[in-house]
Amino acid sequence: MMLAFRCINMLIVHIFLTLFIFGLLFVSGVMWWLYYNNSSGPIIELETEKENMKLLCGLSIISTVFAVILIVLIVLLRKKIHLIIQLFQAANKIIGKVPFLYFQPIWTFIILILFWVFWVAVLLSLGTAGSVQVIPGGQVKYKIQFGIRYMWWYHLLGLIWTSEFILACQQMTIAGTVVTCFFNRNKSKLSSHPILCSISVLFCYHLGTVVKGSLIISIMRVPRIVLLSVHNILKNKENVCARCIFKCCFCSFWCLERFLGYLNQNAYAATIINGTNFCTSAKDASVILSKNVTNTMAINCFSDFAVFLAKYFRLQSMFFSFALLWM
């Protein structure tokens, strides 16, 4: 069974590499073919057509350079493929021991739905809070009080923070389950309920770590929301320079948020393994990631696309099966 799974992993990874290289060459070839086909035609007289030809030539050069760089990187990182295969093998062992990990996202989604329903109910209560005034026509109007007016931002921060806290609890639970099953030296004394054991460890020892990690993500997400609100308010009044500055700030906060989210995931794993606090775990995770940049890039890029290919092939097989049954 393990030999078959290893062969399937190697096959998926090599299929991905082959399709990716052929895709790059195909795109570059099509770009140059379009440029050659248009340039060898009738004499171009319109300025618009000349500009289009220059643009097509530039895109062809960029696609070729991009393809060459990626192919060179693939050749240089080809020795890292065995790391991806080992990662899939480890994931297969964990899922085989704890199949209920498949249902962990479903439980998290149900909890998020319940919280969002509660949040909307509180939001409606805030919207109708205040003194009642009867206006002409027999209609009732609620005059929002001074303190309640500023509760909207507090309520929004609570939505972001609590949602991130629930997602962080899921990540910590999965990390604890994996550590319990994979890094346990005595395999004969594994817990019969590793997910429940991980949840108990989370709420007894590492709840502060999850709170800090989710708070950092929430703080980074609030400026993006503020910038988006300001952009919607001043949409028709801003100039080109202000629009460029806004997009740069928005992109910077988005990149920082993504980086901190990735760092938090590794910090949670370091917390479960070493039992340290959030700051120490984040420091250890950043040091490990900085020392293994090539391995991290190879594993993230190749494994994500390999998983995508597996999902795509599974979807195609399902459609093919339904088509056979329908016929």
Side-chain angles (χ1 to χ4, degrees):
M1 181 66 183
M2 293 301 300
L3 181 60
F5 186 78
R6 182 176 181 180
C7 294
I8 292 174
N9 291 335
M10 295 178 62
L11 181 62
I12 291 176
V13 173
H14 285 89
I15 287 175
F16 156 66
L17 293 177
T18 305
L19 291 177
F20 189 71
I21 292 175
F22 275 106
L24 292 174
L25 296 176
F26 176 76
V27 171
S28 300
V30 168
M31 295 295 293
W32 283 112
W33 177 78
L34 290 174
Y35 174 73
Y36 176 77
N37 189 28
N38 292 328
S39 61
S40 61
I43 299 175
I44 300 174
E45 297 181 355
L46 297 177
E47 292 295 331
T48 305
E49 295 182 355
K50 293 181 180 179
E51 293 295 331
N52 291 336
M53 291 300 301
K54 292 180 181 179
L55 178 62
L56 188 59
C57 180
L59 291 177
S60 301
I61 295 174
I62 292 174
S63 63
T64 304
V65 173
F66 186 70
V68 171
I69 292 175
L70 288 181
I71 291 174
V72 170
L73 288 176
I74 290 174
V75 173
L76 293 177
L77 297 177
R78 67 186 185 278
K79 295 182 180 179
K80 306 294 182 180
I81 297 177
H82 70 280
L83 295 176
I84 305 169
I85 298 174
Q86 292 177 1
L87 178 65
F88 285 163
Q89 291 175 354
N92 181 52
K93 291 180 181 179
I94 298 300
I95 295 299
K97 293 179 181 178
V98 191
F100 283 101
L101 278 178
Y102 279 119
F103 302 99
Q104 188 66 29
I106 300 176
W107 302 336
T108 305
F109 179 73
I110 293 174
I111 295 174
L112 283 174
I113 290 295
L114 294 176
F115 167 70
W116 290 339
V117 170
F118 172 74
W119 185 86
V120 171
V122 176
L123 180 65
L124 295 177
S125 300
L126 287 176
T128 56
S131 58
V132 180
Q133 293 181 350
V134 180
I135 60 177
Q139 297 180 353
V140 178
K141 179 181 179 181
Y142 289 92
K143 184 179 180 180
I144 301 177
Q145 298 178 358
F146 178 77
I148 299 178
R149 182 177 301 174
Y150 295 97
M151 290 291 292
W152 295 90
W153 290 103
Y154 175 78
H155 196 53
L156 179 62
L157 179 61
L159 170 66
I160 300 173
W161 192 0
T162 309
S163 300
E164 292 294 334
F165 173 78
I166 295 173
L167 294 175
C169 288
Q170 177 198 7
Q171 296 172 3
M172 185 70 83
T173 302
I174 294 176
T177 305
V178 172
V179 169
T180 302
C181 297
F182 190 76
F183 292 99
N184 194 344
R185 295 181 179 179
N186 192 356
K187 303 297 182 181
S188 60
K189 294 184 179 181
L190 294 177
S191 176
S192 57
H193 303 285
I195 296 180
L196 296 178
C197 180
S198 177
I199 294 175
S200 63
V201 171
L202 165 64
F203 282 96
C204 292
Y205 302 104
H206 303 304
L207 202 60
T209 299
V210 176
V211 171
K212 289 180 182 178
S214 57
L215 178 61
I216 291 175
I217 299 298
S218 302
I219 293 175
M220 289 296 104
R221 188 164 294 180
V222 169
R224 289 178 55 203
I225 298 176
V226 174
L227 288 175
L228 190 60
S229 301
V230 173
H231 174 70
N232 292 330
I233 294 174
L234 305 176
K235 191 172 184 180
N236 298 325
K237 300 180 181 179
E238 60 184 4
N239 53 18
V240 179
C241 182
R243 190 181 300 111
C244 181
I245 294 174
F246 165 78
K247 291 182 179 179
C248 292
C249 294
F250 191 84
C251 182
S252 300
F253 279 112
W254 181 82
C255 294
L256 182 60
E257 180 186 339
R258 296 285 293 180
F259 170 75
L260 291 176
Y262 183 73
L263 183 62
N264 280 354
Q265 294 179 5
N266 292 275
Y268 296 152
T271 298
I272 291 294
I273 295 174
N274 302 323
T276 53
N277 55 29
F278 177 78
C279 297
T280 305
S281 301
K283 179 182 177 181
D284 296 339
S286 61
V287 170
I288 294 174
L289 291 176
S290 62
K291 290 182 179 180
N292 300 274
V293 177
T294 56
N295 293 341
T296 305
M297 290 178 57
I299 290 175
N300 288 338
C301 296
F302 289 138
S303 60
D304 289 345
F305 198 85
V307 171
F308 169 76
L309 281 180
K311 292 180 180 179
Y312 176 76
F313 289 145
R314 184 180 62 183
L315 184 63
Q316 290 295 325
S317 62
M318 290 176 59
F319 279 122
F320 183 71
S321 301
F322 283 129
L324 291 179
L325 292 175
W326 185 263
M327 294 174 61

